[in-house]
Amino acid sequence: MKFEDFKSEIEKIDDKLSVERYDEDQIVMIGLTLQDRKADDVDIFINDDVPAFRIFTDGNGNRLFRIEIGFDIVSFDILLRILDLVKKYMQEEQELNNATYSKES
């Protein structure tokens, strides 16, 4: 799943959701704090400024997914739809990276 498709599908789930991917390492203002973001990190926001989810690369190069906020029972359907899309996006991203690595070897 390409990023633009992922972003579109997430934003269709609820009009309060927005998605941001960072093209380069940078310091960004999220809410009231400055935070470090690496190239290809992805944030999913509620109302454009409340961080809800994050896809990032750890110090060992592993892609990880973090849930930044709590959810009540009414929101579980939204959470499950987002988790399904994140899983698809991260799996295809990993497959693409593996294919690129295999061609370089």
Side-chain angles (χ1 to χ4, degrees):
M1 172 178 285
K2 294 180 181 178
F3 173 75
E4 290 304 322
D5 297 331
F6 172 72
K7 176 181 167 104
S8 175
E9 290 300 315
I10 291 289
E11 292 175 350
K12 284 181 194 175
I13 291 172
D14 190 303
D15 63 354
K16 295 178 186 165
L17 296 173
S18 62
V19 180
E20 179 75 31
R21 182 178 66 187
Y22 306 95
D23 295 328
E24 59 188 39
D25 293 357
Q26 58 190 291
I27 304 295
V28 295
M29 180 67 90
I30 297 178
L32 299 175
T33 62
L34 291 172
Q35 297 186 22
D36 186 30
R37 292 295 185 260
K38 302 292 182 201
D40 295 322
D41 282 1
V42 176
D43 280 310
I44 301 173
F45 296 99
I46 298 172
N47 294 330
D48 292 324
D49 64 350
V50 177
F53 306 96
R54 185 171 170 221
I55 300 171
F56 64 100
T57 305
D58 71 6
N60 296 323
N62 301 307
R63 291 292 275 172
L64 302 173
F65 175 69
R66 176 180 292 157
I67 299 174
E68 304 270 345
I69 64 171
F71 284 85
D72 62 11
I73 192 72
V74 177
S75 303
F76 274 14
D77 184 52
I78 291 172
L79 174 63
L80 294 174
R81 291 170 63 191
I82 290 170
L83 289 174
D84 184 53
L85 287 168
V86 167
K87 179 182 175 186
K88 289 177 185 176
Y89 176 71
M90 290 179 72
Q91 283 176 330
E92 291 182 22
E93 184 182 52
Q94 184 176 25
E95 290 169 5
L96 179 63
N97 288 338
N98 290 343
T100 301
Y101 179 75
S102 294
K103 287 180 183 179
E104 292 176 357
S105 297

